[in-house]
Amino acid sequence: MFGELEERYSKWERQPDMTPDETIRWEVPGTLASKNLSYFQMPPAWIGPTPNDTELANPKKGLDIVICDRTLSVGVRICAHRDGVFQFDFREWPEGCPIDIPLYTAERNKPVPPHITELQAKAAQHRHKCAVVMNAHLACMSTALSKVQRHGVWIRQVITPSSYFTTHWVNGVRQLRGVVVTYDPVLAYVAANVGLQQDIRKERTRVPIHIETVKYSFDLLESILTSPLADLLLMTQLLYVAAVNYAQHDFPTALTLAWTVCEKLLRIRWDAYIEEKSYVSTGTDQRTNLINSDRRKTLTGLDYTASVMSEVLALAGKLNHETYLRLTKARRGRNGWLHNFTPISDKMAAECVQTAQTFLQETSGVELLISLSHSSRL
């Protein structure tokens, strides 16, 4: 595209009848946003019953069907395909619905029209939110496998705009588009194996995921997306990515991400405590305000660090003692790493991720049991 524009510029510049003040304009094509986004479950899995030998002999018949689906109350529709493809339709979700960019006329030496840049920024935000939802679902799947099937599965993939693809049905045949093998290693695997050309010989090694497990993951994602707790969706993704970093032996990053969630939850607890102490009853239906705006600004400012908040909350009985001890240990580990590069051990990182999951459940009522494991290969 850029080469074509340069060629068009050079042709215009060579025209003898063009005056120096004449404006050069050209049309920039619009873009249509994808109507659905998909990811492939890793490690490879069968959703529902494991196919028999007859089905495996004809992999194009019945192995790519939608075997379980759900439309969440926020408008997100999810379809689980039998071969492990999860398809998300965000068109009815206001926070992540597709944003089309219309055709516009560009002028040389002039910025892109403001309405176009605004749409481009909004489209990028929506794509990010969609990826966050898909990562949160991966966290829900890991939890569902632990809760329903009592099965821990290693986790490696993180959904990004470079690793998701789109699913289309043409004359009853499913097509996966956007599987560019140079973008992400998972896409290379999908290109080679989603049609069962390679791993058909290893069909029994695929993880069997029960339909009940998938339904549990949908229920859990629903509770996350509809929770009144601020930023629960983002915290779920952070915990999932922390677990992925743990699996990759990046223990400092795992601990730092998990501590970020802990500190956010501490702040939520602290704000609730300040609100509770803001007024005192002075009679029937009468209250006296004890914390004015200036005092509230001080109490919620930078002087009240995570250390101070956890100490006060623990003394006030708003933070149980065991959680307080584990938060203190995690905070010191995080500070040691950020300020002095003090090494973070496997055990310390795992404890911090587990502490964050427990603290999240205590605060929101949502239970996450994201699998924590890492390879011991040399």
Side-chain angles (χ1 to χ4, degrees), residues 76 141 144 150-151 155 160 162 184 193 198 204 215 233 243 257 263 271 273 311 332 347 354 359:
V76 178
M141 280 298 299
R150 300 291 189 268
H151 186 46
I155 55 176
T160 71
S162 295
D184 188 274
N193 295 293
Q198 300 295 328
R204 305 306 179 196
K215 290 180 178 179
L233 176 64
L257 290 173
E263 189 161 352
D271 289 345
Y273 177 67
E311 292 290 349
R332 289 172 179 170
K347 181 180 179 181
Q354 291 165 348
F359 197 19

Side-chain angles (χ1 to χ4, degrees), residues 177-215:
R177 300 177 184 173
V179 183
V180 183
V181 299
T182 56
Y183 280 7
D184 188 274
V186 171
L187 293 183
Y189 182 91
V190 172
N193 295 293
V194 77
L196 304 181
Q197 295 96 326
Q198 300 295 328
D199 72 353
I200 189 170
R201 301 187 188 93
K202 306 176 185 177
E203 69 277 2
R204 305 306 179 196
T205 66
R206 281 195 171 205
V207 177
I209 299 180
H210 304 163
I211 293 179
E212 292 74 16
T213 302
V214 176
K215 290 180 178 179

Side-chain angles (χ1 to χ4, degrees), residues 203-237:
E203 69 277 2
R204 305 306 179 196
T205 66
R206 281 195 171 205
V207 177
I209 299 180
H210 304 163
I211 293 179
E212 292 74 16
T213 302
V214 176
K215 290 180 178 179
Y216 186 99
S217 77
F218 292 165
D219 291 340
L220 186 55
L221 185 60
E222 169 83 19
S223 66
I224 291 170
L225 287 171
T226 58
S227 172
L229 188 69
D231 297 318
L232 180 57
L233 176 64
L234 183 56
M235 286 189 280
T236 301
Q237 177 189 240

Side-chain angles (χ1 to χ4, degrees), residues 7 26 29 35 56 75 135 174 211 228 244 261 284 291 326 349-350:
E7 182 179 353
W26 68 95
K35 304 309 178 188
L56 289 170
N135 283 316
R174 189 189 68 183
I211 293 179
V244 171
V261 174
T284 305
I291 303 178
R326 297 183 71 177

Side-chain angles (χ1 to χ4, degrees), residues 272-292:
Y273 177 67
I274 296 302
E275 185 63 28
E276 178 186 324
K277 297 298 181 181
S278 295
Y279 301 92
V280 62
S281 177
T282 57
T284 305
D285 298 329
Q286 293 184 344
R287 297 190 305 171
T288 298
N289 185 2
L290 299 179
I291 303 178
N292 59 25

Side-chain angles (χ1 to χ4, degrees), residues 76-377:
V76 178
R77 180 173 175 80
I78 314 173
C79 297
H81 298 217
R82 193 176 179 190
D83 60 358
V85 170
F86 281 85
Q87 174 186 344
F88 292 73
D89 187 337
F90 293 105
R91 284 178 292 181
E92 300 302 320
W93 185 43
E95 295 184 42
C97 60
I99 302 295
D100 296 333
I101 309 298
L103 175 148
Y104 67 93
T105 300
E107 294 187 17
R108 188 179 183 185
N109 298 326
K110 288 190 176 181
V112 177
H115 73 283
I116 295 296
T117 58
E118 290 173 4
L119 284 174
Q120 290 171 338
K122 186 176 182 180
Q125 292 173 355
H126 280 213
R127 286 194 298 270
H128 170 69
K129 289 182 178 180
C130 291
V132 171
V133 170
M134 296 167 81
N135 283 316
H137 182 250
L138 284 169
C140 294
M141 280 298 299
S142 181
T143 299
L145 283 164
S146 298
K147 295 281 289 183
V148 178
Q149 297 184 212
R150 300 291 189 268
H151 186 46
V153 177
W154 58 261
I155 55 176
R156 296 289 189 276
Q157 66 173 325
V158 175
I159 307 302
T160 71
S162 295
S163 64
Y164 57 55
F165 49 89
T166 61
T167 304
H168 304 268
W169 297 89
V170 179
N171 297 324
V173 178
R174 189 189 68 183
Q175 295 182 359
L176 305 183
R177 300 177 184 173
V179 183
V180 183
V181 299
T182 56
Y183 280 7
D184 188 274
V186 171
L187 293 183
Y189 182 91
V190 172
N193 295 293
V194 77
L196 304 181
Q197 295 96 326
Q198 300 295 328
D199 72 353
I200 189 170
R201 301 187 188 93
K202 306 176 185 177
E203 69 277 2
R204 305 306 179 196
T205 66
R206 281 195 171 205
V207 177
I209 299 180
H210 304 163
I211 293 179
E212 292 74 16
T213 302
V214 176
K215 290 180 178 179
Y216 186 99
S217 77
F218 292 165
D219 291 340
L220 186 55
L221 185 60
E222 169 83 19
S223 66
I224 291 170
L225 287 171
T226 58
S227 172
L229 188 69
D231 297 318
L232 180 57
L233 176 64
L234 183 56
M235 286 189 280
T236 301
Q237 177 189 240
L238 286 174
L239 284 177
Y240 174 75
V241 177
V244 171
N245 278 275
Y246 178 86
Q248 297 172 342
H249 290 243
D250 188 353
F251 304 132
T253 300
L255 183 142
T256 301
L257 290 173
W259 172 252
T260 301
V261 174
C262 290
E263 189 161 352
K264 175 63 177 179
L265 292 170
L266 265 176
R267 175 60 65 180
I268 291 172
R269 290 280 189 98
W270 180 255
D271 289 345
Y273 177 67
I274 296 302
E275 185 63 28
E276 178 186 324
K277 297 298 181 181
S278 295
Y279 301 92
V280 62
S281 177
T282 57
T284 305
D285 298 329
Q286 293 184 344
R287 297 190 305 171
T288 298
N289 185 2
L290 299 179
I291 303 178
N292 59 25
S293 59
D294 289 338
R295 190 179 183 189
R296 184 180 297 274
K297 185 176 181 180
T298 299
L299 289 169
T300 57
L302 297 178
D303 290 338
Y304 284 79
T305 62
S307 174
V308 173
M309 289 188 292
S310 60
E311 292 290 349
V312 174
L313 289 171
L315 290 172
K318 302 299 182 180
L319 189 63
N320 72 61
H321 187 64
E322 181 61 30
T323 300
Y324 160 77
L325 293 177
R326 297 183 71 177
L327 286 172
T328 300
K329 185 176 180 180
R331 187 188 73 251
R332 289 172 179 170
R334 175 262 190 190
N335 290 341
W337 164 252
L338 288 184
H339 300 301
N340 299 308
F341 282 176
T342 304
I344 301 298
S345 67
D346 171 340
K347 181 180 179 181
M348 186 180 296
E351 287 181 351
C352 187
V353 176
Q354 291 165 348
T355 297
Q357 292 188 95
T358 301
F359 197 19
L360 184 73
Q361 183 182 4
E362 293 173 354
T363 305
S364 69
V366 172
E367 182 181 15
L368 293 177
L369 290 175
I370 303 171
S371 178
L372 279 179
S373 63
H374 60 77
S375 171
S376 58
R377 294 174 61 190

